Amino acid sequence: MKFFLDSAKLDEIDYAYRTFGIDGVTTNPKHIMLSGKPFEVAIRDIAQWVKDQKLDGIDKFPVSIEVNPHLDNADDICKEAEKYAQISENFAIKIPATEFGVEAARRLEKEGIRTNLTLVFAPAQALFAAKNGSLFVSPFIGWKEDNGEDCKQYIQDIVTIYKNYGFYGKTQIICAAIRSPKQIVDCAVAGADIVTAGLAVYKSAQHHAYTTQGLETFCNAWDNTKKA
Ligand code: E4P
C-alpha cells in the first residue's frame, strides 16, 4: 500500500517524506488555502521540492493538484489542466466526479495528461475513472464515516469491480479523507492501492502505547544489565 500525504504545506510534506517515506501528495482547494499561499505559488513550491529531492516523474512521486472547483464545463477544466500540467511532470490533475469532470478527465487522458477523479462517494462513480483510463480515483472515506456510514464494503466493491474488468492497478484507488489508523487498515484489507491522510493520522497510526511501554521496559533492562 502507498501512503500519500494530504497537504500543501511544504514543511509537512518534507517531514512526512523523511519520517514516514510517503509516496506522493494530494492537495485540494482547502489544503491550498491552509498553506497560506496563492494557488500557483503553492503548487510551484511543491513542484520545486519534488525536483530538489530528485523525485522527478509521476511514477516516482505523484502530486495531485485540483482544478478551480467553480469551473462548470469540460473545455474550461481542460484548459486549466493543460496549463498546470506543464508546471510539473509529477502532477496528476484532480477533477471532481461530475458529468463534465468525467468528460474532461477522459479528454485529458487522451492527451497524456494524468488525472485523479475525486469527490467519489459510490462504486458507480469509480467506474467512470477506470473507463477514462484515469491514473487515480479518490473515493472518500472520512466524510462518509463522519456521517455514520461504514466504508469497508464500498471500498471492497470498488476493488472487486476493478478486478472484474482488468482496471485494478491501472486506475489506482486512493482512499481519501482518511481520519484514523482504523480507516487505513480497512482500506488495506479491502485491497485499495493508496491512502491519503494528514500528518497527524500517520503519526497516530505509527504510535502504540505498548510500543512506548515496551521501550521503557527494554531501557530499564539495558540500564540494569551487568556492565563489562
Ligand atoms: C484528497 O484527495 C482529498 O481531497 C482529501 O482527502 C479530502 O479530505 P479532507 O476533508 O481531509 O480534505
Side-chain angles (χ1 to χ4, degrees), residues 4-7 25-31 34 64 66 94 116-119 121 138-143 146 174-179 195-198:
F4 286 5
L5 185 72
D6 218 358
S7 173
V25 164
T26 53
T27 68
N28 63 28
K30 187 173 62 174
H31 295 314
L34 291 173
S64 289
E66 194 156 342
K94 262 175 97 182
N116 176 354
L117 202 66
T118 190
L119 284 174
F121 293 92
S138 291
F140 281 38
I141 306 296
W143 297 15
D146 289 350
I174 307 177
C175 288
I178 295 290
R179 298 279 189 270
V195 290
T196 191

Side-chain angles (χ1 to χ4, degrees), residues 122-133:
Q125 288 180 298
L127 259 176
F128 289 100
K131 285 173 66 65
N132 280 344

Side-chain angles (χ1 to χ4, degrees), residues 43-134:
I43 66 173
R44 287 182 185 279
D45 284 354
I46 296 172
Q48 187 55 53
W49 178 90
V50 167
K51 272 194 169 311
D52 295 345
Q53 313 313 311
K54 297 184 175 31
L55 292 170
D56 305 60
I58 199 162
D59 294 335
K60 268 193 197 160
F61 195 88
V63 175
S64 289
I65 59 135
E66 194 156 342
V67 294
N68 175 349
H70 292 291
L71 298 180
D72 60 1
N73 65 83
D75 288 344
D76 287 350
I77 291 175
C78 287
K79 220 175 291 163
E80 179 160 302
E82 286 153 4
K83 184 172 79 171
Y84 294 133
Q86 286 168 31
I87 295 172
S88 170
E89 60 182 308
N90 291 64
F91 282 173
I93 307 298
K94 262 175 97 182
I95 302 170
T98 58
E99 200 168 295
F100 44 80
V102 167
E103 178 192 346
R106 188 168 61 254
R107 284 166 48 181
L108 288 164
E109 286 289 345
K110 286 196 175 110
E111 292 173 34
I113 293 175
R114 306 320 310 265
T115 61
N116 176 354
L117 202 66
T118 190
L119 284 174
V120 165
F121 293 92
Q125 288 180 298
L127 259 176
F128 289 100
K131 285 173 66 65
N132 280 344
S134 288

